[in-house]
Amino acid sequence: GAVVSQHPSWVICKSGTSVKIECRSLDFQATTMFWYRQFPKQSLMLMATSNEGSKATYEQGVEKDKFLINHASLTLSTLTVTSAHPEDSSFYICSAGPGYNSPLHFGNGTRLTVT
Amino acid sequence: AQKITQTQPGMFVQEKEAVTLDCTYDTSDPSYGLFWYKQPSSGEMIFLIYQGSYDQQNATEGRYSLNFQKARKSANLVISASQLGDSAMYFCAMREGRQTSYDKVIFGPGTSLSVIP
């Protein structure tokens, strides 16, 4: 089945630093990938749609300058949390689907803690 | 406006019993897909079952079945013969449009299921 790999699984960083999270589709090409954020005991909130070779589409209320998305190839999308602050601490999870009528497959998520 | 509603924040079920998790949705698009995902405490998202808006029959996958009532806009998940490993968060999700890989998927608030031995 389709596999999506996400790294790192967890990261702790200091306030003011930037953190990059990678999302890879291992056995299919993904022209589109999705980035979600999840707070404890809450649902997944779509942050942005990552499009290969073009700018990402951000959901309302998501700061594009804070959450930089790059989709440089058909198998890799990266999310960079810039100038991280404690309120950015959350679970970030990426997803992609191999094609028409297929479900989204998810990475295992990245737990970010900003101290 | 909330497009997906899951009215049961928490549910309990006895092991080996069946349980129904409710999901209602709102869309004006005639073409859409409905998904159920399971999220154990480890955080991974596990795809369970899919129902397309034009599918004539209710979807089934092993112990999972989807009670799809299109006119009522509901897509309830039925888990038969519950197991302890079924304890997790369950999310109902929807994708509007032609179900391409470009169409985004939005999630409901989730239901926490606890299976009691």
Side-chain angles (χ1 to χ4, degrees), chain A residues 31-32 34 36 38 42-44 46 49 59 91 93 97 99-104 106 108, chain B residues 35 37 39 43-45 47 50 91 95 98-109:
Chain A
T31 51
T32 303
F34 302 94
Y36 292 85
Q38 186 179 31
Q42 293 189 22
S43 185
L44 279 71
L46 180 65
T49 302
E59 295 299 303
F91 188 63
I93 190 164
Y100 181 76
N101 261 351
S102 67
L104 280 185
F106 286 82
N108 285 337
Chain B
F35 305 80
Y37 285 85
Q39 187 180 41
E44 62 190 298
M45 293 292 287
F47 165 72
Y50 167 81
F91 292 100
R95 179 167 60 196
R98 295 178 295 114
Q99 303 306 294
T100 69
S101 59
Y102 309 101
D103 297 315
K104 60 187 180 184
V105 176
I106 57 172
F107 285 79

Side-chain angles (χ1 to χ4, degrees), chain A residues 12-53:
Chain A
I12 301 173
C13 71
K14 292 188 175 181
S15 191
T17 61
S18 295
V19 173
K20 181 185 284 188
I21 303 169
E22 291 189 349
C23 180
R24 294 180 185 273
S25 56
L26 296 186
D27 53 359
F28 66 96
Q29 293 183 331
T31 51
T32 303
M33 292 184 175
F34 302 94
W35 287 95
Y36 292 85
R37 182 175 183 176
Q38 186 179 31
F39 290 107
K41 300 190 185 301
Q42 293 189 22
S43 185
L44 279 71
M45 182 191 76
L46 180 65
M47 298 174 65
T49 302
S50 172
N51 304 300
E52 188 268 335

Side-chain angles (χ1 to χ4, degrees), chain B:
Chain B
Q2 182 72 281
K3 285 203 165 190
I4 301 172
T5 304
Q6 295 179 253
T7 58
Q8 307 150 313
M11 288 280 287
F12 290 89
V13 64
Q14 202 77 38
E15 192 178 7
K16 299 181 184 176
E17 297 291 312
V19 63
T20 297
L21 306 183
D22 295 341
C23 172
T24 57
Y25 57 92
D26 182 34
T27 181
S28 57
D29 196 324
S31 178
Y32 54 90
L34 298 157
F35 305 80
W36 277 92
Y37 285 85
K38 170 184 177 182
Q39 187 180 41
S41 56
S42 58
E44 62 190 298
M45 293 292 287
I46 302 168
F47 165 72
L48 297 178
I49 197 166
Y50 167 81
Q51 180 85 43
S53 60
Y54 295 117
D55 293 344
Q56 294 297 312
Q57 295 192 334
N58 287 347
T60 60
E61 287 287 347
R63 294 187 299 113
Y64 305 107
S65 60
L66 204 151
N67 184 0
F68 181 47
Q69 297 188 43
K70 194 171 181 177
R72 297 180 60 183
K73 292 187 176 178
S74 74
N76 298 339
L77 176 70
V78 180
I79 305 174
S80 62
S82 297
Q83 302 171 356
L84 295 178
D86 294 335
S87 294
M89 282 292 292
Y90 288 80
F91 292 100
C92 179
M94 177 173 68
R95 179 167 60 196
E96 296 172 304
R98 295 178 295 114
Q99 303 306 294
T100 69
S101 59
Y102 309 101
D103 297 315
K104 60 187 180 184
V105 176
I106 57 172
F107 285 79
T111 295
S112 176
L113 177 66
S114 297
V115 180
I116 305 166

